[in-house]
Amino acid sequence: DAGVTQSPTHLIKTRGQQVTLRCSPISGHKSVSWYQQVLGQGPQFIFQYYEKEERGRGNFPDRFSARQFPNYSSELNVNALLLGDSALYLCASSLVSRPNTGELFFGEGSRLTVL
Amino acid sequence: EDKVVQSPLSLVVHEGDTVTLNCSYEVTNFRSLLWYKQEKKAPTFLFMLTSSGIEKKSGRLSSILDKKELFSILNITATQTGDSAVYLCAVPNNAGNMLTFGGGTRLMVKP
């Protein structure tokens, strides 16, 4: 069975540009969460979507947005990129809307470098 | 705001050594504490500790939770080079829909 898949795996952008990251959850999983992991730090929560509705939002500026599609895949968009947006963006999926029981499955991430 | 602090930041040991990783937390409403292993990119789940399950063991890895002192430790005995990774500790928020992670402990096991 395929795990959580993310694309692209690596990308380089310049300041001010916009980026879209994509995530396909494990088949049957209806919840998708996005985390940002800056080098040397732990992942930081950005968004959670369940059944196409936003269920949680972390402390990130409005330049960050996301959506979930009818097939439960998800996109994370970041506008007006800053150098500080350089990070590994992790997508995680789960069966339930409250994945507080260790049921989060992470993808390999998208490594974004902003120059 | 929930908070998780891990120590040490990094650790270098030799194969066969035993290591102890620390995680302290502050959370509004404790539900559970989770340990993950991150070797390259994707964190993988190791343990979940709750009020009703304060000790977990799997092979050479074990973890305990001290709810009174608000910390957890992860022990790895007889370390192997394959244990080299970043170990992350996390707690869910009150709504249970997000995890707050610590900064991680980077473990390097030398042959």
Side-chain angles (χ1 to χ4, degrees):
Chain A
D1 286 343
V4 178
T5 57
Q6 293 186 242
S7 64
T9 54
H10 297 84
L11 68 166
I12 300 173
K13 294 285 188 178
T14 57
R15 282 177 295 177
Q17 286 189 311
Q18 175 263 344
V19 67
T20 297
L21 309 178
R22 297 175 176 83
C23 173
S24 293
I26 292 172
S27 178
H29 284 196
K30 299 181 179 179
S31 173
V32 169
S33 300
W34 288 94
Y35 286 80
Q36 180 197 64
Q37 187 174 23
V38 173
L39 195 63
Q41 298 181 19
Q44 188 174 357
F45 175 75
I46 311 175
F47 286 110
Q48 190 219 5
Y49 277 78
Y50 181 75
E51 289 280 18
K52 293 160 285 183
E53 290 186 1
E54 182 183 302
R55 293 295 187 94
R57 173 185 284 256
N59 188 23
F60 280 81
D62 292 342
R63 299 184 295 108
F64 288 77
S65 63
R67 55 181 175 168
Q68 187 177 34
F69 298 99
N71 67 352
Y72 303 112
S73 67
S74 177
E75 286 183 351
L76 175 70
N77 294 286
V78 187
N79 293 322
L81 286 167
L82 303 174
L83 295 179
D85 295 330
S86 296
L88 179 68
Y89 288 84
L90 294 164
C91 174
S93 78
S94 64
L95 270 171
V96 298
S97 65
R98 294 189 174 189
N100 61 326
T101 59
E103 297 164 334
L104 271 183
F105 297 86
F106 285 88
E108 291 291 315
S110 293
R111 170 80 60 192
L112 170 65
T113 301
V114 182
L115 301 176
Chain B
E1 184 176 316
D2 298 344
K3 187 176 178 183
V4 178
V5 178
Q6 293 186 244
S7 63
L9 288 178
S10 65
L11 199 53
V12 180
V13 300
H14 287 92
E15 276 191 315
D17 289 349
T18 294
V19 297
T20 298
L21 310 182
N22 305 295
C23 173
S24 64
Y25 62 91
E26 295 175 26
V27 62
T28 303
N29 181 22
F30 180 80
R31 291 171 169 265
S32 59
L33 185 144
L34 306 157
W35 283 97
Y36 284 85
K37 178 182 182 182
Q38 187 175 28
E39 292 184 74
K40 290 184 179 177
K41 290 185 177 180
T44 54
F45 173 74
L46 292 175
F47 295 120
M48 182 183 70
L49 301 161
T50 65
S51 298
S52 57
I54 61 172
E55 290 189 43
K56 289 290 173 74
K57 182 176 173 63
S58 177
R60 298 177 295 104
L61 276 67
S62 63
S63 183
I64 62 170
L65 174 71
D66 188 323
K67 273 201 69 182
K68 182 180 177 183
E69 300 297 331
L70 306 183
F71 77 88
S72 174
I73 63 172
L74 176 68
N75 280 314
I76 308 175
T77 61
T79 52
Q80 302 171 359
T81 55
D83 295 326
S84 296
V86 173
Y87 291 83
L88 297 164
C89 170
V91 292
N93 65 342
N94 193 37
N97 64 343
M98 62 163 278
L99 295 177
T100 297
F101 283 88
T105 293
R106 180 173 295 278
L107 173 65
M108 179 181 292
V109 181
K110 292 187 172 182

